[in-house]
């Protein structure tokens, strides 16, 4: 705060409890949270991410939701097409 910092930016999208936790902790030190991706549809986010030329490789999965064969794959349109319907393209909620 001595350096003029008053805000912290997060990439949270949907997890209400996590946002509230972050905001509470920040309030304790007089900071505010900024959530620029909040409630943006994840399909829109991943499509923009890919179209901008970013590359991501999956390094771990929660096997309750996704088979370990997805580990090591690049997130691209083929990856998205292979995801089960119950798995969010940005990994929200597990």
């Amino acid at each position: 705060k001595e350096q003029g910092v008053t805000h912290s930016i997060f990439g949270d999208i949907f997890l209400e409890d996590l946002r509230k936790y972050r905001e509470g902790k920040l309030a304790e030190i007089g900071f505010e949270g900024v959530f620029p991706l909040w409630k943006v549809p994840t399909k829109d986010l991943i499509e923009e991410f890919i179209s901008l030329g970013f590359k991501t490789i999956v390094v771990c999965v929660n096997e309750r939701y996704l088979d370990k064969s997805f580990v090591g794959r690049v997130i691209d349109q083929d990856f998205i097409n292979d995801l089960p319907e119950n798995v969010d393209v940005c990994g929200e909620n597990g």
Side-chain angles (χ1 to χ4, degrees):
K1 219 167 180 189
E2 299 86 37
Q3 297 176 4
V5 177
T6 58
H7 293 73
S8 184
I9 300 173
F10 298 94
D12 299 317
I13 304 169
F14 296 125
L15 304 178
E16 296 279 350
D17 58 337
L18 182 56
R19 180 176 175 154
K20 286 180 183 178
Y21 172 81
R22 293 188 197 284
E23 289 174 328
K25 289 296 184 184
L26 290 170
E28 291 175 11
I29 58 171
F31 278 41
E32 288 185 49
V34 177
F35 300 84
L37 305 179
W38 192 249
K39 301 294 184 184
V40 175
T42 54
K43 185 129 175 86
D44 295 348
L45 290 173
I46 199 68
E47 287 175 1
E48 181 178 4
F49 183 85
I50 292 169
S51 73
L52 290 171
F54 289 101
K55 179 180 176 182
T56 299
I57 298 173
V58 177
V59 297
C60 65
V61 296
N62 182 334
E63 289 188 76
R64 289 187 295 153
Y65 302 102
L66 198 59
D67 184 86
K68 63 184 174 183
S69 67
F70 282 84
V71 173
R73 288 186 59 184
V74 172
I75 296 178
D76 56 13
Q77 195 58 52
D78 289 334
F79 178 91
I80 293 167
N81 293 341
D82 291 343
L83 287 175
E85 283 191 33
N86 64 324
V87 174
D88 181 82
V89 294
C90 290
E92 288 291 285
N93 296 308

